[in-house]
Amino acid sequence: MEKTDVLIVGGSAAGLMAGLTVKRRYPEKKVTIMRKASKTPVPCGIPYIYGTLKAVEKNNMPDEGFIKQGLQLNTLAVESIDRGNKTADLADGTRIAYDKLILATGSYPAMPPIPGMQTGNVFGIKKEPEYLQNIQKALESSRHVVVIGGGFIGVEMAEQIAKMAQAGSHDEPVNISLIEMLPNCLMMACEQEFCIDAERELSEMGINVMTNAQVQAIQGNGKVTGVQLASGETIPADAVVVGIGVTPNIDLARQIGLEADPRMGIKVDAYMRTDDPDIFAAGDCAAKFSFFDGQPTGIRLASVAASEGMIAASNLYHPLRKCMGAVGAFGTTVGNSSIGAAGLTTKAADAADIPYVVGEAVFPNRHPGSLPGCVANMKAKLLFSRDTGKIIGGHVRGGESTADMVNIVAAAIQGGLTAEELATMQYATHPLLTASPLGYHVMLAAENASVKMSDNRPSQQ
Amino acid sequence: MEKTDVLIVGGSAAGLMAGLTVKRRYPEKKVTIMRKASKTPVPCGIPYIYGTLKAVEKNNMPDEGFIKQGLQLNTLAVESIDRGNKTADLADGTRIAYDKLILATGSYPAMPPIPGMQTGNVFGIKKEPEYLQNIQKALESSRHVVVIGGGFIGVEMAEQIAKMAQAGSHDEPVNISLIEMLPNCLMMACEQEFCIDAERELSEMGINVMTNAQVQAIQGNGKVTGVQLASGETIPADAVVVGIGVTPNIDLARQIGLEADPRMGIKVDAYMRTDDPDIFAAGDCAAKFSFFDGQPTGIRLASVAASEGMIAASNLYHPLRKCMGAVGAFGTTVGNSSIGAAGLTTKAADAADIPYVVGEAVFPNRHPGSLPGCVANMKAKLLFSRDTGKIIGGHVRGGESTADMVNIVAAAIQGGLTAEELATMQYATHPLLTASPLGYHVMLAAENASVKMSDNRPSQQ
């Protein structure tokens, strides 16, 4: 019987990061990653297959790097696990013994419980190269495309389908509609003014953005013909892409008797341990709690998965590292703009009953502003706890460095830095790379918040 | 007699930031900024006048924003100050009374003490639009240009003169030489491998990079003809640009009896107060101490100046904010690459006797790496104190977001974050904007350092 030290079920962000972490910390351990798909698509890269990369295979992570770092990659499915004997049975009938097991089984695309979801040319966004290829074929032959869900994946898909059409994939114009139930796209993750900016970018690309719109049924006999809304309106559709979120894949965990909630995921503690001392879970399949209040949260991002994978792997033999909870840090591009955000929005802070102070800064992202490629109105909006002065959230909108810049905010949140500290810090600036030292966005927004919180009297320190 | 609440002498980074800070905190105060030049050039933008902006006036900060925020801008020179009566006499004979005074008189370009420095077409880099125009004229009519000094300003000047020539400013090819005394360019600020990368970029642009080379004399009668090196070699030159650093401008401070060192600058405490309780100093003219060991330092950057200006202004009426000392955070571009760095280099840590651990990461700055515009080998190198685990320095080399990314490092240094914390944090990632969540440079380099420091045993926390 084959033996491995660490068996990891799942080969996306959490599983790969877990494997790499084991090899960094314990180079002598044998690490086997079970991955059903022949290749791992970059999960966040899926929308970019259609407009930017123009080929499914360009979005696959190359295996060479992982193999070079000593990981064993195995594409057989795990059929069952014997926790008592610590063995796994694979799809070809072979059995593999493990010492430690990490479940990184990921998630399924969530599908709305409405009639017609099984109609042809209605797609979820599965992380499977062959399925993604089918989406591409359907899009190429469709004149009316409807995207259901205005969160990140939906917005990115709609934007990329528009780019695909702009690049001449079709002889005739393509009608693209994006349908969102809430008053704004991206509303679960972004401040409203940033959502409205994103919607404007989408509209300027010719996308029909429909908010406050609920899908009631998919129409069509065999192949989709339209999407019927609660308002009674029907949007013609030759293809429908659904991006309304994900559901944790707890199938294997349940099968082997681990505690897991269909909505929240596999139960883990802050060390990513399940109830079985030799079994860990990380990534989309694992339950999450919020960094801010410790409450359960549905934040499922590749960055959270990677962090959890690293933490789980670090704790296999001793509890070394604790998970701080999901912060929610991300970036995206929409049309000619990009957005980065981390932590709480004003809406989320209100919901969590955390009193806050907002600081904002609008400043060119190059200096002088006459430099070619300068984004004149790059914007930061930061949130600080009124009680502690610590930063609890932030958005940056503008040039290509929004995500890297918002990672200053992400690090500051996780490091517990205050408005006062972020205002008086020194930041690297350069004419061709950043805002001016007078207007570096994080600094200036923090200073504006600090002024609001200050009574200009001597500090007690 | 005219009266102002806050009189600021100097209208560059420190002075303007001080003025803006006063108006943010005390909107009712009258703030007057004395600035000799008709316009304020972006100080870090000066090299970009020649190759990128192609005009001196494009590098000026627009005054409108400052005026709109309530600052009074005055272009008369301050001739003298009466500290007892708290008045300043201006070049036109008028007198202005102040309540608080901030000296932000900046610095002069340092010139080497060698024969021939007064020869025609030998230029320092003064922050004066007319002088900068004269440099441009001289460069346009020169076939042999020598830049003395391979620090930031020298490297940037050489690079921009090469771009200017590439863009067709000259009928004949231009010979550009960059002369540096030390074994590498940028050596005071950067890790050696990053210096070597920068030198390669310069060489690929056709610049003759001469390191370990000392200038002995400027040759020429009336107008420069050559630069003579200690080796005996003479480099032909029609124009020479000197960028070897700056000397604090302490003229006014000395004239009014404040303690000031010609090399270190005006004596200030951590609240940016001079010996006179109503006079503050900030920016290049003020003495600096290191964030790391409190020792005097020569780090003079616009970002340090802006931070000090903010701190001085915050402390005018009460000691509100302390200066943490100069961290040294900066970015620059060289040819097709860019570098960001913050804090100590390995060399500086050795000199300060701080034991350290290095963590490195080389990873594409987009994911998948097949995306257009991806820099495949973006690199981060981070330094952590072996004793405390805290980050003390870091470099990032690669795409356009190096400076913003190194500001995660800058904030982490100033916030006292550890390798362990930076490794397990969640960072925003996105295919078109950042590295993959498996390879986000700051995270991965911190993790690599953390592994080196860890014995994989349970933490004591």
Side-chain angles (χ1 to χ4, degrees), chain A residues 162-443:
Chain A
K163 286 207 170 157
M164 184 179 166
Q166 277 168 10
S169 61
H170 292 66
D171 298 331
E172 294 176 285
V174 184
N175 296 313
I176 305 162
S177 298
L178 177 63
I179 302 178
E180 167 59 42
M181 210 165 63
L182 295 173
N184 289 106
C185 289
L186 303 178
M187 206 174 175
M188 300 294 283
C190 290
E191 292 290 303
Q192 194 179 30
E193 66 264 38
F194 293 80
C195 299
I196 292 170
D197 285 343
E199 289 170 8
R200 196 188 48 240
E201 292 282 347
L202 293 170
S203 298
E204 283 171 7
M205 297 179 82
I207 296 164
N208 173 30
V209 179
M210 306 180 77
T211 52
N212 286 312
Q214 197 158 357
V215 175
Q216 206 161 43
I218 303 292
Q219 295 175 340
N221 198 346
K223 186 166 162 281
V224 63
T225 56
V227 174
Q228 188 191 321
L229 303 183
S231 65
E233 195 182 349
T234 294
I235 321 289
D238 307 319
V240 171
V241 179
V242 179
I244 62 165
V246 296
T247 304
N249 174 0
I250 59 170
D251 300 347
L252 186 60
R254 283 226 153 162
Q255 186 191 318
I256 63 177
L258 294 174
E259 198 175 325
D261 177 271
R263 226 163 53 89
M264 299 313 302
I266 302 166
K267 188 187 149 198
V268 286
D269 66 11
Y271 295 93
M272 309 312 298
R273 296 180 291 205
T274 67
D275 297 331
D276 184 319
D278 292 320
I279 307 181
F280 295 71
D284 277 6
C285 67
K288 315 258 169 279
F289 64 96
S290 163
F291 172 86
F292 297 97
D293 59 9
Q295 294 303 304
T297 172
I299 293 176
R300 288 188 150 75
L301 292 166
S303 55
V304 176
S307 176
E308 289 182 354
M310 187 191 280
I311 290 167
S314 307
N315 294 334
L316 289 177
Y317 302 100
H318 310 280
L320 273 178
R321 288 176 153 170
K322 260 176 115 161
C323 175
M324 299 201 288
V327 169
F330 53 77
T332 195
T333 63
V334 190
N336 293 312
S337 192
S338 75
I339 309 171
L344 299 180
T345 58
T346 50
K347 193 186 263 287
D350 283 337
D353 232 348
I354 300 173
Y356 58 83
V357 173
V358 170
E360 293 185 305
V362 179
F363 220 86
N365 72 341
R366 300 287 181 264
H367 62 289
S370 56
L371 278 164
C374 176
V375 177
N377 62 348
M378 191 176 197
K379 176 174 176 177
K381 177 174 182 176
L382 305 182
L383 255 67
F384 298 88
S385 158
R386 186 179 285 283
D387 296 335
T388 64
K390 290 183 181 179
I391 187 164
I392 56 173
H395 282 57
V396 182
R397 186 209 62 210
E400 286 206 357
S401 62
T402 45
D404 288 311
M405 196 186 279
V406 93
N407 281 332
I408 305 168
V409 175
I413 291 172
Q414 292 165 91
L417 306 188
T418 63
E420 183 58 21
E421 289 173 314
L422 287 169
T424 54
M425 280 180 181
Q426 298 148 48
Y427 299 89
T429 60
H430 183 267
L432 307 186
L433 300 173
T434 70
S436 129
L438 300 179
Y440 193 72
H441 299 81
V442 174
M443 173 198 70

Side-chain angles (χ1 to χ4, degrees), chain A residues 36-101:
Chain A
K36 270 186 279 187
S38 57
K39 292 276 177 186
T40 300
V42 172
C44 316
I46 290 173
Y48 302 101
I49 289 170
Y50 303 109
T52 303
L53 294 168
K54 302 190 178 87
V56 170
E57 62 273 16
K58 282 199 183 166
N59 188 46
N60 291 332
M61 293 192 222
D63 284 341
E64 294 71 31
F66 303 118
I67 292 166
K68 210 172 129 193
Q69 289 185 66
L71 300 182
Q72 313 282 321
L73 300 179
N74 187 322
T75 54
L76 289 168
V78 175
E79 299 285 338
S80 64
I81 283 167
D82 177 342
R83 284 168 56 187
N85 291 310
K86 300 214 283 186
T87 59
D89 286 344
L90 309 186
D92 69 347
T94 59
R95 179 168 290 183
I96 182 166
Y98 66 82
D99 181 28
K100 301 287 177 183
L101 175 68

Side-chain angles (χ1 to χ4, degrees), chain B residues 190-193 292 343-360 381-395 419 445-446 448-454:
Chain B
C190 290
E191 292 291 303
Q192 195 178 28
E193 66 264 38
F292 298 98
L344 299 180
T345 58
T346 51
K347 193 186 263 285
D350 284 336
D353 234 348
I354 300 174
Y356 57 83
V357 174
V358 170
E360 293 185 306
K381 178 175 182 176
L382 305 182
L383 256 67
F384 298 88
S385 159
R386 186 179 285 282
D387 296 336
T388 64
K390 289 183 181 180
I391 187 163
I392 57 173
H395 283 57
N448 281 328
S450 179
V451 170
K452 287 191 199 171
M453 286 190 271
S454 168

Side-chain angles (χ1 to χ4, degrees), chain B residues 109-260:
Chain B
M111 297 303 255
I114 55 164
M117 288 304 296
Q118 302 307 320
T119 312
N121 272 13
V122 177
F123 300 97
I125 299 169
K126 295 188 193 171
K127 293 165 216 159
E128 295 166 12
E130 297 74 14
Y131 188 89
L132 296 171
Q133 190 69 58
N134 290 340
I135 298 182
Q136 183 162 359
K137 272 187 211 144
L139 291 173
E140 280 168 356
S141 61
S142 297
R143 273 207 55 209
H144 301 277
V145 178
V146 174
V147 177
I148 300 176
F152 283 107
I153 189 96
V155 165
E156 291 171 356
M157 280 299 300
E159 196 245 24
Q160 287 290 305
I161 297 166
K163 286 207 171 157
M164 184 180 165
Q166 278 169 7
S169 61
H170 292 67
D171 299 332
E172 294 176 286
V174 183
N175 296 313
I176 305 163
S177 298
L178 177 63
I179 302 178
E180 168 58 42
M181 210 164 63
L182 297 173
N184 289 107
C185 290
L186 303 178
M187 206 173 175
M188 302 293 283
C190 290
E191 292 291 303
Q192 195 178 28
E193 66 264 38
F194 293 81
C195 299
I196 292 169
D197 285 342
E199 288 170 7
R200 196 188 49 240
E201 292 281 350
L202 293 170
S203 298
E204 283 173 6
M205 296 178 83
I207 296 163
N208 174 28
V209 179
M210 307 181 75
T211 53
N212 287 311
Q214 196 158 357
V215 175
Q216 207 160 44
I218 302 294
Q219 295 176 340
N221 197 346
K223 186 166 163 280
V224 63
T225 56
V227 174
Q228 189 192 321
L229 303 183
S231 65
E233 194 182 349
T234 294
I235 320 291
D238 307 319
V240 172
V241 179
V242 179
I244 62 164
V246 295
T247 305
N249 174 2
I250 59 170
D251 301 346
L252 187 60
R254 282 226 154 163
Q255 188 191 315
I256 63 176
L258 294 173
E259 199 175 323

